[in-house]
Amino acid sequence: MPRLQTTLGLTIAMLLAGQAGALAAAPAGAGPVLFRSAGPIQADYPLFAGERRRLAELVEAARRGGIQVPVPRDPGGGSSHEQHKRNYMAIYAAGLLYRVTGDGAYADYARRLLLEYARLYPTLGPHPAASGDSPGRLFWQSLNDSVWLVYAVQGYDAIRDSLSDEDRRTIDEQVFRPMSTFLSEGQPQVFELIHNHATWACAAVGMTGYVLRDDELVARALNGLDKSGRTGFLRQVEQLFSPDGYYTEGPYYQRYALQPFVVFAQAIEANEPERRIFEYRDGVLLKAIRATVQLTQGGYFFPLNDALRDKSLKTDELYQAIAIGYAATRDPTFLSVAQWQGRTTLTPEGLLVARDLAEGKARPFPFASRLFRDGPAGDRGAVAVLRAGSDERGQTLVVKNSAQGMGHGHFDKLGWMLYDDGAAVVTDYGAARFLNVESKDGGRYLGENQSWARQTVAHNTLVVNETSHFDGQWRVGESIAPRQLYFAADGPTRVSTAEVEGAYPEVRFRRTLAQLEVDGLASPLVVDLLRVQGSEPAQYDLPLHYAGHITDVGFPLHSHPAERPVLGKANGYQHLWVDASGTPEAGNATLTWLNGERFYTYRMLPPAGTRVILAKSGANDPRFNLRREPVLIERLENATDATFVAVLEPHGRYDPAAETVTDSRSRIAALRHVRTEDADLVALELVDGRTLTLAIADDADAGKAHRAELGGKPLEWSGHVGRFEAPTAGEPPRQELAAERP
């Protein structure tokens, strides 16, 4: 069986000789051809040379610290946990440096470190700080053991040919083989899952199988413990990605899971090219790399589900994925991503990226409005991404109409968030976690992740009777997905409509979110129409979480300056302080805030009797685990059917340097809504006399004709959505859009 192609060997020599062919595997049993002089790399390919310097510094720092392989004792963030992480990176880096430089000192350091693991590993049982039913041996959870093995086996592969028979046998039989056995046969409750933890485990076991020339380990990794194909890596590729390359747990975990998928796929391609793994399921792994990049704004991942807001494309998983994706496709837009990252990998694929980037072959990545269907067949809802151009400061509307996302999913069906002017404006909390900060529960998910961050009130969607979707039970949520009814991405009117039934008993709600470009306005308007149909009277809450400082409130408020009552007792409400509340009327239901240098006015058309609550997260939080962030909640009590209508308007500019303010007041004079027999009409009256009307039919059929009246004037359109504009007051509306269902 051929060796893993994680090292540089023949392919480095081929590339530097100007042979731009495929990165072929070395012949079975052949030793690597070392490229010993790094001079041309240093001179011509800065990204690759920079990676070599970075890894050399990492290994040198590790060597100065001596060989440290501690007995495991700490959870995430603790000293033993962090040392074992440093060790797998040192093994990986030393192996790659050995292949690039031919310096035997790198191979010897990795050898000595692995021999220490050969002494320690056979003595280990379950980790003393284990939590849950999947304890690791080196780490508190077996997932981290899998990550250790994925990295370490690549470094080991790079030096294995240089070892004596005795050292090779010792490391094979006392580290890599028992670890692979533990992570597969010893952890069937993880290995047999369709989940990212299992993907890491399968990749670790399968890659080890290739290095040890062990067909049994490879077969186990590809097709599950019983080799039936009901579980294992190939089944994970089939079940965890949609046909569009969307990963069911959301962008944050797509980034994390992508590394074992593509690194193991690369090993499969090198050792068993007849499988054509990168063509599997219509090339879904390559689609997944592109989708991962698309699911970012300014390089940062949309914080859907259990996600940390500060995670970006500058991460080890994506350095490898971009390099592997580029080597497989030669897509020049991947090069611009690598340029933004400022990093690549010390592998043949990384060298290819660095060479072609240095030769000016990069092209801009095509960020665009996209619908990312969810589920293996693409029929479990979707994430709709609506973009006003490809500029990272341009407006991006993200609508989460996707499936639950398994145990990392949040209860936020039909929720949304908005980026504008380079910042998050309508926000999602993401996860309550301080990753690897030992003082914060060892870096694990905090209790507040369950009591706040996952709850529906922490998101921008409907809450019924102060309970979360599916009563906060993710396994129930996994069985029910929204329906994406309509998506239009082209032109000045971009629209998403979806519906969910079953989030609450006997309640169905449908939501249309539209991004409207309007002449004379610097940034698009966002129109929100949410219709609820219930079987019995209930309390409906519609939160809007926003970032910024309030500058104006259009309606009278009753404030609580001396005390801060808590909004509720459970399901996230116990974490909300009430700052003020009021009952607006149709003409004054506005809230304006300043975010950075731009103003935002949220204009509501609330159902009669709706109360608006201004609140902030942080109540019942004695350990200060939650960020203090504002939220507006529209509350309607004792209602069965209801319609919530709103428009979010970016406007004006605040220049702190020049001390000037322009257009701090809304340019919308009024918001109106009319319900016809089979459609909703939402009209925006601008202060300059123009009227813009959005007509939204109940039927999403692209070919169906519709007719309605607004103010005595007829409106006619085909398809789900029609847009009409009247340039001046009193002029008949003119249709600007006849949207079609994609």
Side-chain angles (χ1 to χ4, degrees):
M1 185 177 289
R3 72 194 317 277
L4 265 175
Q5 282 300 297
T6 56
T7 56
L8 302 188
L10 290 170
T11 56
I12 282 279
M14 288 169 57
L15 285 169
L16 292 174
Q19 300 178 30
L23 297 174
V33 176
L34 299 180
F35 180 73
R36 297 181 179 275
S37 170
I41 300 175
Q42 180 81 19
D44 297 335
Y45 311 136
L47 212 60
F48 194 83
E51 188 65 11
R52 179 189 168 193
R53 288 192 300 271
R54 189 187 71 82
L55 292 187
E57 291 169 2
L58 184 154
V59 173
E60 184 55 35
R63 287 163 65 174
R64 286 197 302 268
I67 301 293
Q68 297 185 49
V69 181
V71 175
R73 61 179 182 274
D74 305 303
S79 61
S80 64
H81 177 99
E82 293 302 309
Q83 185 60 49
H84 287 300
K85 285 175 59 180
R86 285 191 289 270
N87 285 349
Y88 74 62
M89 285 304 303
I91 294 166
Y92 173 75
L96 297 186
L97 286 164
Y98 171 62
R99 284 300 177 211
V100 171
T101 67
D103 187 342
Y106 288 120
D108 184 63
Y109 173 72
R111 177 188 68 86
R112 291 187 294 118
L113 194 50
L114 286 167
L115 286 172
E116 284 300 313
Y117 275 100
R119 279 186 275 274
L120 173 68
Y121 193 78
T123 72
L124 299 179
H127 194 283
S131 175
D133 63 354
S134 304
R137 290 185 173 174
L138 290 176
F139 299 93
W140 67 276
Q141 62 173 346
S142 62
L143 169 64
N144 299 79
D145 287 51
S146 297
V147 176
W148 189 98
L149 187 53
V150 165
Y151 276 95
V153 77
Q154 293 179 78
Y156 180 50
D157 175 60
I159 70 162
R160 192 169 181 268
D161 288 348
S162 72
L163 302 181
S164 68
D165 289 344
E166 181 181 356
D167 285 349
R168 187 184 306 116
R169 184 166 50 252
T170 297
I171 296 169
D172 283 0
E173 301 304 323
Q174 293 181 217
V175 181
F176 290 100
R177 195 175 301 282
M179 284 193 77
S180 295
T181 300
F182 166 66
L183 291 171
S184 54
E185 292 179 339
Q187 291 266 290
Q189 75 277 17
V190 175
F191 195 76
E192 298 283 80
L193 289 174
I194 305 298
H195 188 271
N196 80 77
H197 287 208
T199 306
W200 278 97
C202 287
V205 171
M207 292 166 73
T208 301
Y210 284 130
V211 172
L212 301 186
R213 282 68 168 175
D214 188 327
D215 292 344
E216 165 64 24
L217 289 179
V218 173
R220 185 183 298 174
L222 290 174
N223 292 305
L225 291 174
D226 65 1
K227 324 295 191 310
S228 69
R230 289 176 297 182
T231 61
F233 181 78
L234 296 177
R235 186 64 171 165
Q236 291 160 7
V237 174
E238 293 169 0
Q239 292 294 305
L240 290 174
F241 292 102
S242 79
D244 301 319
Y246 178 78
Y247 179 75
T248 191
E249 292 182 280
Y252 179 85
Y253 272 91
Q254 176 147 346
R255 172 271 321 170
Y256 184 66
L258 195 61
Q259 182 175 359
F261 273 112
V262 298
V263 172
F264 188 26
Q266 178 196 34
I268 295 168
E269 181 72 14
N271 288 278
E272 300 182 72
E274 66 276 8
R275 287 186 179 273
R276 299 184 176 180
I277 189 64
F278 286 113
E279 299 174 25
Y280 193 67
R281 269 198 76 198
D282 194 30
V284 73
L285 290 178
L286 296 174
K287 289 182 181 179
I289 299 173
R290 293 186 173 95
T292 306
V293 179
Q294 286 282 2
L295 292 164
T296 64
Q297 178 71 10
Y300 288 83
F301 294 102
F302 303 143
L304 303 177
N305 295 334
D306 280 344
L308 301 181
R309 289 180 179 177
D310 55 1
K311 184 62 72 174
S312 76
L313 292 169
K314 294 182 179 181
T315 181
D316 284 340
E317 297 89 354
L318 266 297
Y319 303 140
Q320 297 201 45
I322 292 300
I324 291 169
Y326 181 68
T329 65
R330 300 300 199 273
D331 180 349
T333 68
F334 280 137
L335 296 177
S336 66
V337 179
Q339 189 171 37
W340 187 90
Q341 292 172 318
R343 288 269 305 276
T344 191
T345 57
L346 207 68
T347 62
E349 296 77 22
L351 177 59
L352 188 63
V353 166
R355 185 196 69 182
D356 289 358
L357 191 57
E359 293 177 358
K361 295 181 180 179
R363 297 294 180 268
F365 191 84
F367 288 101
S369 296
R370 286 281 307 277
L371 184 70
F372 294 95
R373 293 171 294 167
D374 198 0
D379 58 358
R380 303 214 11 105
V383 171
V385 180
L386 302 171
R387 296 184 186 270
S390 59
D391 190 323
E392 68 177 27
R393 299 188 66 84
Q395 190 183 101
T396 300
L397 172 62
V398 182
V399 192
K400 191 191 177 203
N401 304 325
S402 56
Q404 180 64 28
M406 298 191 288
H408 284 298
H410 287 193
F411 303 102
D412 57 351
K413 301 302 101 178
L414 313 195
W416 66 293
M417 66 184 75
L418 185 76
Y419 298 85
D420 189 71
D421 203 29
V425 176
V426 176
T427 62
D428 189 288
Y429 192 89
R433 184 184 192 186
F434 293 81
L435 186 62
N436 287 335
V437 177
E438 188 176 11
S439 62
K440 291 294 189 181
D441 288 5
R444 302 181 179 110
Y445 287 102
L446 299 164
E448 288 78 8
N449 197 56
Q450 179 63 37
S451 64
W452 166 252
R454 291 183 179 179
Q455 300 295 328
T456 303
V457 74
H459 301 87
N460 305 302
T461 190
L462 180 74
V463 189
V464 179
N465 293 331
E466 295 190 20
T467 61
S468 287
H469 296 172
F470 314 113
D471 200 26
Q473 303 299 312
W474 75 263
R475 292 185 188 278
V476 177
E478 194 70 13
S479 67
I480 300 170
R483 291 191 302 142
Q484 181 74 40
L485 302 175
Y486 181 83
F487 180 77
D490 299 326
T493 305
R494 295 172 287 275
V495 182
S496 166
T497 296
E499 183 175 85
V500 65
E501 188 170 7
Y504 297 102
E506 305 299 323
V507 174
R508 178 173 62 185
F509 58 101
R510 174 184 287 204
R511 193 170 208 172
T512 294
L513 282 150
Q515 187 181 53
L516 311 180
E517 295 184 15
V518 181
D519 288 345
L521 301 187
S523 195
L525 305 175
V526 176
V527 172
D528 180 14
L529 172 72
L530 189 149
R531 289 176 52 207
V532 191
Q533 295 174 296
S535 62
E536 58 185 42
Q539 175 183 292
Y540 296 147
D541 287 347
L542 184 58
L544 182 85
H545 296 263
Y546 61 94
H549 192 98
I550 294 174
T551 60
D552 187 47
V553 181
F555 54 95
L557 287 174
H558 173 66
S559 299
H560 303 282
E563 60 179 11
R564 300 182 83 185
V566 177
L567 187 56
K569 296 181 178 180
N571 305 318
Y573 284 81
Q574 75 275 24
H575 289 303
L576 286 172
W577 298 112
V578 177
D579 288 328
S581 63
T583 304
E585 299 174 354
N588 66 0
T590 62
L591 180 78
T592 299
W593 65 88
L594 178 65
N595 183 318
E597 297 184 358
R598 184 168 284 181
F599 295 92
Y600 296 87
T601 294
Y602 187 62
R603 183 177 298 272
M604 299 162 279
L605 196 59
T610 298
R611 185 161 60 102
V612 172
I613 301 165
L614 301 182
K616 187 169 290 185
S617 57
N620 290 302
D621 181 27
R623 294 183 57 211
F624 302 97
N625 284 338
L626 293 176
R627 299 188 299 269
R628 275 49 177 163
E629 297 181 347
V631 57
L632 173 154
I633 300 175
E634 295 180 71
R635 169 165 289 182
L636 178 63
E637 298 179 345
N638 198 35
T640 51
D641 296 349
T643 301
F644 294 88
V645 182
V647 59
L648 180 65
E649 174 197 3
H651 57 93
R653 183 64 63 181
Y654 169 68
D655 187 335
E659 300 180 357
T660 59
V661 175
T662 57
D663 295 326
S664 63
R665 294 187 180 276
S666 170
R667 297 181 63 181
I668 297 176
L671 172 64
R672 291 189 292 153
H673 169 251
V674 174
R675 173 66 189 169
T676 70
E677 183 179 349
D678 65 350
D680 288 277
L681 310 179
V682 179
L684 308 175
E685 298 177 5
L686 305 185
V687 294
D688 62 9
R690 289 182 292 168
T691 299
L692 186 154
T693 301
L694 204 63
I696 305 164
D698 294 345
D699 195 327
D701 187 343
K704 189 171 182 179
H706 300 278
R707 179 183 174 86
E709 284 192 4
L710 181 65
K713 299 181 177 64
L715 304 177
E716 296 181 357
W717 73 100
S718 296
H720 181 51
V721 177
R723 171 174 166 167
F724 305 86
E725 293 190 17
T728 59
E731 182 174 332
R734 180 179 66 247
Q735 183 174 0
E736 298 291 337
L737 172 75
E740 295 184 358
R741 186 179 184 181

